[in-house]
Amino acid sequence: VARSLQWLVQQYMESAEWSGLSLATRKQRGLFYRQVTDASGKVDCRAVTKADVQNAMERRKSTPALANNFKKSLSALFKWGMDHSHVSVDPTAGVKRLKTLNTDGFPIWTLEDINNFTKHWSLGTRERLAFELIVASGLRRSDAVRAGRQHLTDDVLKIKTQKTNTQVTVEFSPRILDLIEQTQTGDFAFIVGKKGLPLTKESFGNWFRDTCRAAGVEKSAHGLRKFSATLAAEAGATSHQLMAQFGWVNVKQAEVYTQGADRELLGKASSRLVEEQIRTKFSPHLISGEGNRSKKSLKSNG
């Protein structure tokens, strides 16, 4: 039906803008659009109202993060439709996002988790290599399963992320490079299955979850990525440094970690920098001051 919701979705998914989206984004939005077209595909896209979108959000209120992604997907659809004169109004405008907990649902690993995992999985196992690579690089699982020797030049790994299509750069330590050499890997992927074949991000996620459970750790690969980012932030990495390693394109994502870093550690590091500047720029005055105080002290004692 001309100008139906199904027609609008089809036009959008055949556009250059759609082709420019990452595979993960297209997959997620495609699922939402399928829900919409299955339920209301024959409805005239120009007749969709703000109330319709609010009702759709209300039906999804039990999963607020999912509801917000649903609204984001609809917003992209109607914004494209307005840009191409298919609709004159964006019905998602003014619809409020649902409140979510300040978490992405993946708990961060603790030092106890780290100890339990490393005690259970020894160096040289595929399980330990996967763990070590994620801690060292902070790669998402969709990139961890693709990373291989073709991305490695000397000790530097460079790979474009699947989610954001941005390059991340990681310098591997000699320890990590040695670990790669002593572990079973594939020709084009460091992390492989039992038969030496690459894994999909889904199969890797399931395998690594089972690997964690075997070590008594109730966490995920994403929680390990968060641990890696936290380590970097607590060591003093800037937001832009975190973006370069972890593939974020928004400073706010990096600031989640820099703002949440151990303020005591950062405070001590900052105070050492201040002291270094004081010694460099004002040391003659300090020496002079110390001398004057010494003379006054001698006179008072005399």
Side-chain angles (χ1 to χ4, degrees):
V1 180
R3 294 298 179 96
S4 66
L5 265 174
Q6 186 171 359
W7 174 85
L8 183 65
V9 168
Q10 184 176 350
Q11 297 300 308
Y12 177 46
M13 295 178 74
E14 292 176 355
S15 69
E17 183 170 327
W18 176 266
S19 299
L21 299 174
S22 70
L23 181 61
T25 299
R26 294 200 303 270
K27 183 177 180 180
Q28 183 188 62
R29 291 185 182 178
L31 291 174
F32 288 136
Y33 296 153
R34 186 178 303 168
Q35 294 174 8
V36 170
T37 55
D38 285 348
S40 310
K42 295 182 179 180
V43 172
D44 191 318
C45 62
R46 296 165 295 185
V48 179
T49 65
K50 179 179 177 180
D52 293 328
V53 179
Q54 289 174 325
N55 290 334
M57 294 285 284
E58 180 67 18
R59 291 193 295 272
R60 293 168 172 80
K61 65 180 181 181
S62 61
T63 53
L66 200 64
N68 291 334
N69 284 331
F70 171 79
K71 175 184 175 291
K72 184 177 180 181
S73 299
L74 280 187
S75 295
L77 173 66
F78 280 98
K79 181 180 182 300
W80 178 87
M82 289 181 66
D83 290 343
H84 292 80
S85 302
H86 298 316
V87 294
S88 57
V89 176
D90 176 6
T92 67
V95 176
K96 294 182 179 179
R97 289 167 53 87
L98 299 183
K99 291 184 178 180
T100 60
L101 295 175
N102 188 26
T103 175
D104 58 9
F106 295 95
I108 190 171
W109 286 48
T110 65
L111 289 178
E112 183 181 1
D113 294 328
I114 300 296
N115 289 334
N116 288 338
F117 191 97
T118 54
K119 284 180 181 178
H120 187 85
W121 297 109
S122 61
L123 296 173
T125 61
R126 293 180 301 111
E127 292 82 358
R128 182 62 175 269
L129 177 62
F131 165 87
E132 295 280 357
L133 286 178
I134 293 176
V135 174
S137 67
L139 289 175
R140 297 181 180 90
R141 60 178 184 168
S142 57
D143 301 318
V145 297
R146 296 186 300 114
R149 287 180 171 80
Q150 69 274 19
H151 300 113
L152 196 61
T153 302
D154 296 327
D155 59 352
V156 176
L157 179 84
K158 293 182 179 180
I159 186 172
K160 277 202 170 184
T161 65
Q162 189 175 73
K163 183 175 182 179
T164 60
N165 197 36
T166 57
Q167 179 176 288
V168 297
T169 304
V170 180
E171 184 178 75
F172 282 155
S173 68
R175 186 181 69 84
I176 296 297
L177 295 174
D178 288 343
L179 186 57
I180 291 173
E181 293 305 317
Q182 63 181 279
T183 308
Q184 176 193 358
T185 63
D187 294 330
F188 298 102
F190 295 132
I191 302 173
V192 294
K194 286 184 177 180
K195 296 182 179 180
L197 298 176
L199 301 168
T200 64
K201 70 174 184 178
E202 290 81 9
S203 61
F204 169 76
N206 293 331
W207 169 74
F208 193 73
R209 182 192 61 233
D210 293 341
T211 293
C212 293
R213 300 302 179 269
V217 178
E218 299 291 325
K219 300 290 172 63
S220 67
H222 191 80
L224 192 57
R225 168 178 158 86
K226 290 173 68 175
F227 178 82
S228 177
T230 300
L231 286 183
E234 290 186 347
T238 66
S239 293
H240 284 88
Q241 286 173 328
L242 290 174
M243 290 170 68
Q245 177 175 350
F246 293 90
W248 295 312
V249 295
N250 190 323
V251 172
K252 289 183 179 180
Q253 292 174 298
E255 287 178 346
V256 168
Y257 295 91
T258 55
Q259 291 176 357
D262 189 322
R263 297 181 66 84
E264 180 179 350
L265 289 177
L266 294 180
K268 289 179 180 179
S270 178
S271 62
R272 286 194 291 269
L273 293 176
V274 171
E275 176 62 20
E276 183 179 335
Q277 290 298 302
I278 290 174
R279 291 181 178 277
T280 301
K281 296 184 177 181
F282 306 120
S283 57
H285 303 287
L286 291 176
I287 293 173
S288 175
E290 288 175 357
N292 291 336
R293 283 197 300 272
S294 297
K295 290 178 181 177
K296 289 179 181 178
S297 176
L298 286 172
K299 288 181 179 179
S300 62
N301 290 335

